[in-house]
Amino acid sequence: MGVDVERIERFDGALADSIRTPAERDAGWPEADPDRHFSSLWSSKEALAKALGDPRRLDGPAAWPQGRSGPWRATAVEVTDGHVAWLCWAE
């Protein structure tokens, strides 16, 4: 299991490009609240990395269909305003 909590902060485009997989780069960014989107993507990858491996080569659980990828499950966790959090686990 892995869990991560991140403060929502302004993101740097170069950092965003460096942590996204090709599929995530192709998906682009939503126009509404891109800082929350980046913070959530990073938090989902950190939670998975803590459970599994390197976040720079993993598609972020934030984009998994129905929060599933093989034996792995993921969910966003509600936390205080200005923060995002994710939990990842294997069944």
Side-chain angles (χ1 to χ4, degrees):
M1 178 179 2
V3 66
D4 186 69
V5 177
E6 296 288 333
R7 181 183 353 223
I8 298 171
E9 296 181 350
R10 185 174 207 115
F11 74 92
D12 175 278
L15 173 62
D17 284 342
S18 78
I19 66 113
R20 292 187 295 167
T21 64
E24 290 166 338
R25 284 192 293 277
D26 289 345
W29 288 107
E31 290 184 27
D33 209 352
D35 295 330
R36 174 177 282 281
H37 179 81
F38 173 74
S39 297
S40 185
L41 176 66
W42 181 252
S43 181
S44 73
K45 286 179 173 249
E46 283 287 309
L48 183 59
K50 290 172 181 175
L52 182 62
D54 181 2
R56 295 179 192 266
R57 67 175 179 80
L58 303 170
D59 285 331
W64 289 353
Q66 300 166 341
R68 297 170 176 258
S69 180
W72 289 94
R73 304 296 176 257
T75 190
V77 178
E78 290 292 322
V79 290
T80 62
D81 285 343
H83 291 78
V84 293
W86 279 83
L87 174 65
C88 297
W89 68 96
E91 287 191 325

